[in-house]
Amino acid sequence: MPFPQFNQLNDELSAYVLSFASSAPFEVAELRPSGTLTHEFPLLSKRIRNIVRSSTTLWKEALIRLCIKETDIWKSAVMSIVLSRSAAAASTGPFIMQQTDESEKSPLDELNATKELVEKACNVVRDAPANEYQFEGALTIPERVFRYIVSCHLRFSAPAFSMPGEAIRGQEIILHFFEPRYRLLIREVMEGYTTDQEGNLSVVGGNEELRPYPSFVYACHGTLAPRSPACIVELRRCIILPDGRADVMLVPCAHVYIETVNERPNSGGLFDVRSIRMGKMATEVVETGMQRHRRNWINNQTGMGEENYWVEGGTVNGRRVRGSIHAIMAFLDARPGGGGEAAHLHGGNFGGPPQGGNFGNFGDQPEGGNFGP
């Protein structure tokens, strides 16, 4: 019991008091799907259990805390719910977080704005058709908002591509897919989309402004196993060749932890994964580690560098490079009469060297990585 006078408070005040000690699933730890609201408070007493189940305050306060703590995950999801029912959604296109100068906004202003946003999202869910935002059990409106965000935004299920490489949010990755399992992956994620000669995507018979880019999981650390880091990539451009091979341009948009891994039967080794998005701090740690260990080849006056340095950037024959594969291709392009080997390495139709591992048509060589769970 919080304090002796607790039972003298009405349910609304009791819920407000409990909110100071409450935590929702994934609030304390990214990979911990439990919290005091679900695993502790309901066990304290029958009255507290009834308060937790019926009060809108506790789950609403949890949403507000998470929106302030993890803006890219929770606040963007809440805003997307609000925009999904607004007339502006039809004209503004896909939801994009507006970049604002947080230094100009006081903590109180941010808190009030977040409360207003959460309230709008709750109103959208309350007024939505009966077949939307529905979950088992008698849930309050804020809890339905919370569960929707967890199942449809925080968690992400998709087929996975595995190859060691660098994945920084917003930086393009150009690859050539040739293995049968990845040809299947591209066919699946491209369903409902069409492309022009340059690989630009458009929606078949729909409003392409309101539909997100095709996405899947890229296991950039080369390992598909529970708790392994990976990232969600958007397929921005795609040219599918007659035999099913594909030249693609990917853009990482979020880092995730893999939760479950399942090999799809009769797919030639294609894995489906369920993942959960990383928070801001974990994302920064992952990307900082990738940039710190980026290996670049530095040339000297005789051509290809005789030494390797761990640096943030480098030049090969006067050309800026990122990563050893990129550097090798730049070197091959610069050779007298060269370019054939580099073109073979490029393997793609988007022009220019890839920023992250385009291995061309090396027969049956796998795209790389450890594909097992």
Side-chain angles (χ1 to χ4, degrees):
M1 195 61 60
F3 51 87
Q5 296 78 19
F6 181 79
N7 283 331
Q8 300 175 15
L9 302 176
N10 60 36
D11 287 353
E12 184 178 354
L13 287 176
S14 297
Y16 183 73
V17 170
L18 291 173
S19 69
F20 286 92
S22 66
S23 63
F26 306 108
E27 184 176 357
V28 176
E30 293 173 327
L31 296 179
R32 184 183 174 188
S34 62
T36 57
L37 284 179
T38 54
H39 290 72
E40 295 181 24
F41 284 176
L43 305 178
L44 294 178
S45 70
K46 183 181 293 185
R47 177 171 181 258
I48 292 180
R49 181 172 69 250
N50 292 334
I51 291 174
V52 171
R53 290 179 176 177
S54 61
S55 173
T56 62
T57 300
L58 293 170
W59 287 100
K60 191 176 292 185
E61 290 294 323
L63 283 170
I64 293 170
R65 291 193 302 269
L66 286 165
C67 285
I68 294 175
K69 178 182 177 182
E70 296 291 353
T71 301
D72 290 344
I73 298 177
W74 290 89
K75 192 171 185 178
S76 63
V78 171
M79 291 185 73
S80 67
I81 293 175
V82 174
L83 291 180
S84 68
R85 292 294 169 184
S86 68
S91 59
T92 57
F95 168 73
I96 299 175
M97 279 292 296
Q98 297 295 323
Q99 299 297 322
T100 58
D101 188 357
E102 296 296 333
S103 62
E104 299 180 357
K105 184 182 294 185
S106 69
L108 181 59
D109 290 339
E110 182 182 7
L111 176 61
N112 291 332
T114 303
K115 287 182 177 179
E116 182 180 358
L117 183 64
V118 170
E119 188 65 36
K120 289 181 178 180
C122 290
N123 293 338
V124 168
V125 172
R126 182 196 62 205
D127 300 334
N131 61 336
E132 295 184 21
Y133 306 106
Q134 293 300 316
F135 300 92
E136 294 183 1
L139 307 179
T140 63
I141 298 298
E143 188 174 0
R144 284 163 59 188
V145 173
F146 183 93
R147 293 203 179 188
Y148 174 80
I149 293 174
V150 169
S151 60
C152 299
H153 188 78
L154 183 66
R155 282 197 167 109
F156 180 76
S157 298
F161 163 68
S162 179
M163 182 186 76
E166 181 182 289
I168 306 295
R169 289 169 300 165
Q171 294 188 5
E172 298 172 354
I173 303 172
I174 296 177
L175 294 172
H176 177 77
F177 284 174
F178 56 87
E179 283 193 64
R181 53 182 164 179
Y182 298 134
R183 299 184 196 187
L184 173 61
L185 181 153
I186 291 298
R187 286 201 306 271
E188 288 187 357
V189 300
M190 281 295 294
E191 185 176 353
Y193 292 86
T194 185
T195 60
D196 59 20
Q197 292 183 346
E198 297 181 352
N200 299 306
L201 277 63
S202 59
V203 177
V204 177
N207 189 342
E208 58 191 67
E209 291 185 341
L210 297 181
R211 186 165 180 179
Y213 288 106
S215 302
F216 57 92
V217 172
Y218 171 28
C220 52
H221 296 266
T223 301
L224 284 174
R227 294 183 176 269
S228 296
C231 71
I232 300 172
V233 291
E234 294 178 342
L235 180 58
R236 296 291 182 89
R237 296 171 68 187
C238 179
I239 296 178
I240 300 179
L241 305 177
D243 61 359
R245 292 178 296 120
D247 296 314
V248 300
M249 184 176 77
L250 311 175
V251 176
C253 59
H255 290 274
V256 298
Y257 296 107
I258 295 175
E259 287 190 306
T260 61
V261 182
N262 296 290
E263 183 175 2
R264 191 182 302 183
N266 304 317
S267 65
L270 181 64
F271 287 84
D272 292 311
V273 304
R274 188 183 74 178
S275 60
I276 184 169
R277 294 174 187 259
M278 290 186 187
K280 179 180 178 181
M281 185 177 298
T283 296
E284 291 176 350
V285 169
V286 168
E287 292 195 346
T288 299
M290 288 182 176
Q291 293 169 341
R292 183 177 299 157
H293 294 92
R294 182 184 294 167
R295 192 171 191 177
N296 295 284
W297 293 74
I298 309 300
N299 74 312
N300 56 23
Q301 295 181 353
T302 61
M304 192 65 169
E306 295 178 353
E307 298 181 2
N308 303 326
Y309 299 90
W310 296 92
V311 294
E312 290 300 319
T315 305
V316 172
N317 295 311
R319 188 167 161 187
R320 188 71 172 173
V321 299
R322 293 178 59 254
S324 57
I325 294 296
H326 191 169
I328 292 170
M329 287 187 290
F331 170 69
L332 292 174
D333 276 339
R335 293 173 59 187
E341 301 96 326
H344 188 65
L345 278 165
H346 290 175
N349 297 320
F350 298 129
Q355 293 188 343
N358 178 348
F359 293 95
N361 307 320
F362 289 175
D364 294 328
Q365 176 186 344
E367 273 91 340
N370 173 12
F371 301 97

